[in-house]
Amino acid sequence: MLAVSVKKGRNAHLVPFPWKISIVAFMANPPLMKSDVQAAVETITVLAKDPFFDVIEVNLMSDEAWETVAPILQSSGVDVAVGLQPMTTAQGLNPSSVNEDERRKAVEALSQAIKIAAARGVKKVGFSSGADPGPENREAAKDSLVKSLKELASLGSRLGVSLILETFDREWDKRQLIGPIDEAVEVVREVRQEYSNIGLLWDLSHAPMLNEKPAALFRAKDYLSHIHIGCSKKLPDGRMVDWHPGFYRPGAVNGVEDVEELLRVLAEIGYSGAVGFEVKPEEGQHWREVVEAAKGVLYTAFARVVERE
């Protein structure tokens, strides 16, 4: 639990952080992505015992890795969410494909992953839209995505699972269809005409690549389910990449001021979901270094918000 002590006149006030705090475990310690059992035990043990965190976001681990860490998670009392973004980015599954065979293949794979997550007691699953086909096929791809999301939301509603669609960059690195927040809202709004168990994930680290600021969330306030805090990285040649470096690493774009701005906006729009870290160690860094640095940035940003109220 995060709280800051602020002095007002002669009195000191302890102000608790108003949202649950999460962390993407498989980004914080990348060997977890490969269902490395030793890495899974180490990572989950450390994060589950850290009182800072209320939610741990895991990848779809192998049965062996999950069976090893499930007792740790259950005894800790933390919430668990599953991130399927690697399926729609690294593995290239595309639920927005205008090719029906490709779209169906993606829906079937994501459906199976949702079923596994539900069987493990997980109630929230996140993923992205799939690759952007370019301006000429973009509207057709959005129609395909809506069709896929309705099918997945129907399954999720039967299993008690909520879906979270994450917005990614469209031009720089991951190059996903969704994309700008306004278009993300349009897609989710259409799905919600039939299914309510879907929302959006907005990631601060993707904002610079989308030319977005936290103020954009005013237009998405009714659809936000989750927030990620992290940094995109600007390379010496000017390119931006979605590598999620730790705060204040060389090339890291976002800083404590951006986090402070984000927290102010979330408070103003009445956001009620979780706020989570997505940070990744670079070469030569221990994974816990980037986690502890991120915790410090969030503490400082929240303290500034409270002090200026």
Side-chain angles (χ1 to χ4, degrees):
M1 178 179 180
L2 169 62
V4 299
S5 179
V6 178
K7 193 170 183 179
K8 302 284 187 179
R10 295 183 178 181
N11 299 317
H13 301 273
L14 189 64
V15 183
F17 194 71
W19 304 286
K20 287 186 175 181
I21 301 174
S22 73
I23 185 165
V24 182
F26 58 90
M27 189 66 72
N29 196 9
L32 195 59
M33 280 282 290
K34 300 178 180 179
S35 290
D36 182 304
V37 175
Q38 182 177 351
V41 171
E42 176 194 356
T43 309
I44 299 304
T45 299
V46 169
L47 298 178
K49 290 183 177 180
D50 190 334
F52 203 89
F53 299 115
D54 307 292
V55 184
I56 297 179
E57 302 172 48
V58 300
N59 55 307
L60 195 69
M61 302 179 191
S62 66
D63 289 339
E64 180 186 9
W66 176 255
E67 289 168 4
T68 303
V69 302
I72 302 171
L73 290 165
Q74 291 167 2
S75 64
S76 71
V78 297
D79 294 335
V80 180
V82 166
L84 302 178
Q85 289 89 338
M87 296 179 68
T88 46
T89 54
Q91 296 177 30
L93 291 170
N94 190 356
S96 61
S97 176
V98 295
N99 179 299
E100 181 60 18
D101 290 338
E102 290 182 3
R103 189 196 70 81
R104 173 50 49 191
K105 177 182 176 182
V107 169
E108 289 175 354
L110 290 168
S111 295
Q112 183 60 28
I114 291 169
K115 290 176 183 177
I116 293 172
R120 294 173 177 178
V122 175
K123 301 299 183 184
K124 293 183 178 180
V125 171
F127 53 93
S128 65
S129 64
D132 175 43
E136 64 282 357
N137 290 315
R138 200 166 280 157
E139 292 305 313
K142 290 179 192 176
D143 291 339
S144 291
L145 179 60
V146 168
K147 182 178 180 180
S148 295
L149 291 177
K150 287 182 177 180
E151 293 174 8
L152 294 170
S154 176
L155 172 65
S157 67
R158 297 195 299 272
L159 298 175
V161 175
S162 295
L163 310 182
I164 303 175
L165 179 66
E166 181 171 5
T167 64
F168 276 78
D169 74 275
R170 183 181 275 173
E171 300 177 357
W172 291 94
D173 190 352
K174 296 299 190 290
R175 299 180 182 181
Q176 298 282 284
L177 171 67
I178 304 295
I181 191 67
D182 292 331
E183 295 180 35
V185 167
E186 291 174 6
V187 166
V188 171
R189 181 189 292 124
E190 187 167 349
V191 178
R192 279 200 183 176
Q193 292 178 4
E194 296 182 36
Y195 302 98
S196 61
N197 60 324
I198 184 168
L200 289 173
L201 190 167
W202 190 82
D203 191 326
L204 181 65
S205 65
H206 300 159
M209 293 184 284
L210 287 163
N211 292 317
E212 292 179 350
K213 295 287 186 180
L217 298 181
F218 281 98
R219 303 192 298 275
K221 63 180 182 178
D222 296 329
Y223 302 92
L224 284 178
S225 295
H226 200 76
I227 293 290
H228 276 166
I229 291 175
C231 307
S232 57
K233 186 180 179 81
K234 192 168 188 178
L235 301 179
D237 63 5
R239 288 185 298 128
M240 284 194 287
V241 289
D242 186 22
W243 291 359
H244 291 277
F247 284 94
Y248 299 107
R249 293 286 296 176
V253 175
N254 299 315
V256 67
E257 295 82 7
D258 301 292
V259 178
E260 178 186 356
E261 180 184 357
L262 173 59
L263 298 183
R264 289 184 184 281
V265 169
L266 294 179
E268 289 183 35
I269 66 176
Y271 175 69
S272 59
V275 174
F277 299 120
E278 188 169 13
V279 289
K280 182 180 179 181
E282 297 186 301
E283 185 176 358
Q285 278 191 299
H286 191 281
W287 71 270
R288 294 186 66 175
E289 179 183 338
V290 294
V291 173
E292 296 302 322
K295 288 163 62 176
V297 166
L298 184 60
Y299 179 92
T300 301
F302 182 52
R304 290 182 178 183
V305 171
V306 173
E307 288 173 350
R308 295 174 183 176
E309 285 183 344

